[in-house]
Amino acid sequence: MAKITALTEDLCRYMLRNRAEEASVLRDLRRETESSVGDQAGMMISEEQGVLLRILTGALAPRLAIEIGTFTGYSSACIASALPSGGKLICCDLSEEWTSIGVPYWRRCGVADRIELRIAAALDTLAALPEDTVIDFVFLDADKHNYVAYYEAILPALRPNGLIAVDNVMWHNWSMDAENQDPETVGIREFNDHVLRDSRVESVMLHVGDGLTLVRKL
C-alpha cells in the first residue's frame, strides 16, 4: 500500500470537513481581512492551520509563545485561545494598519489580555528580550528571506522540547524550481536546507496549507 495519498480536490474537501469547526469570531475576522486587504488576504493562514496551532498550543501549554508575522491577527487569536492561565503571546509585526484589524477580534475572543503586540522589526524585538527569557512555542510566518535569521535568534532561548512551527515551507511549489531566484523563494530554500542540517533539532514538514514545518529543539 502506498505511503502517500494523492491530495485530490475531493480528498482535500473531505479532509477539511474532518476538523474542528471554525469559531464564528474567527470567521468574521477572516471575512473582514478578505474585504479589507484585497489580494494581500492570501497571507492569512488557512482554517486548518489555525486548528493545528490551537492544538499544538494546548498540548504544549506554553508560558511564553512568540509569533513572528501577525498580519491581521487570525493566527494570534488561535494561539492565544489555547494558552494556559498566565501564558503570554508576544506578537511581532511592522504594520499597525494590518494588526489593528485583528485587535477588536482579540477582545471578542477574550484573549486580548494574553497578547502583547510589538510594532517593530522582529529581530529587534527578539534581541531586546531579557537574557533569561525562556520561549516555549514560536509561530514563524513573516518575510521569507529572513527565516534563517529569525530561527537563529529564537533557538538559543527556546527551551529543550520547545517547538517552532514555520509556515509556507512549500512556498506554492516555487521553492522546488532552482531557476527561481527571487529573495523570498531563495529564503525558503535556504531555511529548509538549514533546518535539515541542524543537529540541534529534529523537524518534519507537513502538507498543511502551504506547508508547515515543525521543529523540536533537542
Side-chain angles (χ1 to χ4, degrees):
M1 182 176 293
K3 295 292 186 181
I4 298 175
T5 300
L7 191 61
T8 64
E9 288 188 15
D10 285 343
L11 183 56
C12 184
R13 284 191 289 267
Y14 175 79
M15 180 186 72
L16 295 180
R17 286 198 304 270
N18 283 272
R19 58 163 172 76
E21 186 177 356
E22 184 179 43
S24 60
V25 63
L26 293 176
R27 185 164 57 249
D28 292 345
L29 174 53
R30 179 178 298 282
R31 289 171 177 168
E32 180 166 347
T33 298
E34 290 168 348
S35 65
S36 298
V37 305
D39 292 342
Q40 300 294 330
M43 294 194 296
M44 183 169 45
I45 65 168
S46 64
E47 296 172 36
E48 67 272 18
Q49 284 177 304
V51 175
L52 179 58
L53 288 177
R54 194 161 59 246
I55 290 171
L56 292 172
T57 304
L60 281 169
R63 301 294 298 175
L64 176 61
I66 305 284
E67 178 180 68
I68 301 177
T70 295
F71 191 39
T72 61
Y74 186 97
S75 53
S76 318
C78 293
I79 295 168
S81 67
L83 287 172
S85 176
K88 181 172 73 171
L89 171 64
I90 296 177
C91 293
C92 306
D93 205 283
L94 289 171
S95 175
E96 290 189 41
E97 177 184 3
W98 285 343
T99 54
S100 67
I101 294 172
V103 171
Y105 292 92
W106 295 345
R107 297 192 189 103
R108 284 180 56 188
C109 289
V111 300
D113 61 335
R114 307 175 196 176
I115 299 175
E116 182 180 330
L117 176 61
R118 300 192 184 184
I119 302 297
L123 289 173
D124 292 341
T125 295
L126 293 170
L129 294 174
E131 289 187 7
D132 60 351
T133 296
V134 177
I135 302 170
D136 302 295
F137 179 55
V138 178
F139 179 50
L140 175 53
D141 185 17
D143 47 313
K144 315 310 172 191
H145 64 277
N146 269 325
Y147 264 21
V148 172
Y150 294 139
Y151 175 83
E152 287 297 333
I154 292 162
L155 202 61
L158 190 70
R159 68 167 172 83
N161 289 316
L163 198 67
I164 307 172
V166 187
D167 196 20
N168 300 118
V169 293
M170 292 180 177
W171 200 227
H172 317 288
N173 288 327
W174 297 333
S175 62
M176 297 178 68
D177 180 3
E179 294 183 2
N180 191 330
Q181 293 294 309
D182 76 85
E184 298 290 86
T185 302
V186 171
I188 288 291
R189 275 200 297 265
E190 290 179 347
F191 173 79
N192 290 340
D193 291 342
H194 185 78
V195 172
L196 189 62
R197 295 192 302 264
D198 191 350
S199 61
R200 299 169 295 177
V201 304
E202 68 173 1
S203 64
V204 62
M205 187 181 293
L206 305 177
H207 192 177
V208 179
D210 186 32
L212 190 79
T213 288
L214 298 181
V215 183
R216 180 178 74 94
K217 184 175 178 179
L218 300 176

